Amino acid sequence: MLSISSGWLVQALNLPSPFFSPRELADEISLLVIHNISLPAGQFDGNCINDLFLGQLDCNAHASFKDLKGVEVSAHCLIRRDGSINQYVSFTDKAWHAGVSSFKQRERCNDYSIGIELEGTDDIPYTRKQYQQLIALTLCLQDQFPAIIMDNIVGHCDIAPERKTDPGPAFEWQYFRQCLTEQATRNKT
Ligand SMILES: [Zn+2]
């Protein structure tokens, strides 16, 4: 079981990012956005994702990083291929993950969402450990923020369809939702 203390996941490696902003009182957390990221694209392991979210990425280290110069982005959590979790922003603050976005006609999804990155790409299957941890994390977040109902768990592709494709066709929504439902039922009995 995962647990949250003062906005931070107890079981995560906490790496506080400078890229966040406080939530307003009116911003009830009601949306969970699933993303993917890999740096360089398609390569796993290494420290580049941490470096990006902490504002420490050496943009000369790889040709593809040039576009990332000056980019200020973050997410609340990253679930790595081995299932370990890093957290960069307190759940009670806004991470800068969604960009220009809208959900159910409401814009600026960062204001009222939590952003979870899976280390991966649109087309490479995610690992079982990633699904296990994503399910455990989602249940933990739903416990803390009950407005995140099943219907309010979406991909970045759903809130910014013209710009974004993640988590991509590799993400097994049906499997994820089914496990989530089963696990939630099991926890209640
Ligand atoms: Zn994304």
Side-chain angles (χ1 to χ4, degrees), residues 36-45 48-49 52 64-65 68 78 81 117-122 124:
N36 72 33
I37 186 168
S38 57
L39 286 178
Q43 287 183 36
F44 306 139
D45 301 324
C48 295
I49 301 170
L52 176 67
S64 67
F65 293 175
L68 295 173
L78 167 70
R81 304 295 290 182
E117 299 274 358
L118 300 171
E119 185 178 25
T121 72
D122 284 8
I124 299 172

Side-chain angles (χ1 to χ4, degrees), residues 89-106:
V89 173
S90 166
F91 298 121
T92 56
D93 290 320
K94 300 175 195 176
W96 299 350
H97 61 99
V100 176
S101 52
S102 80
F103 178 69
K104 293 181 179 171
Q105 266 108 54
R106 187 174 168 197

Side-chain angles (χ1 to χ4, degrees), residues 137-151:
L137 179 53
T138 302
L139 290 169
C140 179
L141 289 169
Q142 287 180 313
D143 193 49
Q144 190 96 1
F145 309 108
I148 304 177
I149 54 172
M150 184 72 101
D151 203 32

Side-chain angles (χ1 to χ4, degrees), residues 35-36 117 156 164 166:
H35 302 257
N36 72 33
E117 299 274 358
H156 202 185
K164 296 292 176 180
D166 60 321

Side-chain angles (χ1 to χ4, degrees), residues 15-163:
L15 301 168
S17 167
F19 307 138
F20 72 93
S21 34
R23 293 194 200 267
E24 310 298 324
L25 271 181
D27 295 330
E28 188 192 22
I29 297 167
S30 58
L31 178 66
L32 183 65
V33 182
I34 299 172
H35 302 257
N36 72 33
I37 186 168
S38 57
L39 286 178
Q43 287 183 36
F44 306 139
D45 301 324
N47 228 21
C48 295
I49 301 170
N50 290 343
D51 290 345
L52 176 67
F53 290 162
L54 297 177
Q56 298 169 357
L57 184 67
D58 175 4
C59 292
N60 298 316
H62 190 273
S64 67
F65 293 175
K66 281 210 186 78
D67 298 342
L68 295 173
K69 202 162 185 191
V71 168
E72 297 185 343
V73 290
S74 62
H76 289 94
C77 291
L78 167 70
I79 304 179
R80 304 210 67 167
R81 304 295 290 182
D82 66 0
S84 59
I85 304 177
N86 297 345
Q87 184 170 356
Y88 307 94
V89 173
S90 166
F91 298 121
T92 56
D93 290 320
K94 300 175 195 176
W96 299 350
H97 61 99
V100 176
S101 52
S102 80
F103 178 69
K104 293 181 179 171
Q105 266 108 54
R106 187 174 168 197
E107 298 191 337
R108 298 168 52 97
C109 292
N110 284 342
D111 291 353
Y112 55 95
S113 70
I114 286 170
I116 306 293
E117 299 274 358
L118 300 171
E119 185 178 25
T121 72
D122 284 8
D123 302 307
I124 299 172
Y126 297 97
T127 69
R128 287 300 124 187
K129 284 195 173 149
Q130 286 181 301
Y131 283 104
Q132 280 166 15
Q133 289 288 65
L134 178 62
I135 290 156
L137 179 53
T138 302
L139 290 169
C140 179
L141 289 169
Q142 287 180 313
D143 193 49
Q144 190 96 1
F145 309 108
I148 304 177
I149 54 172
M150 184 72 101
D151 203 32
N152 294 359
I153 304 172
V154 299
H156 202 185
C157 56
D158 298 308
I159 59 167
E162 261 129 64
R163 298 185 304 115

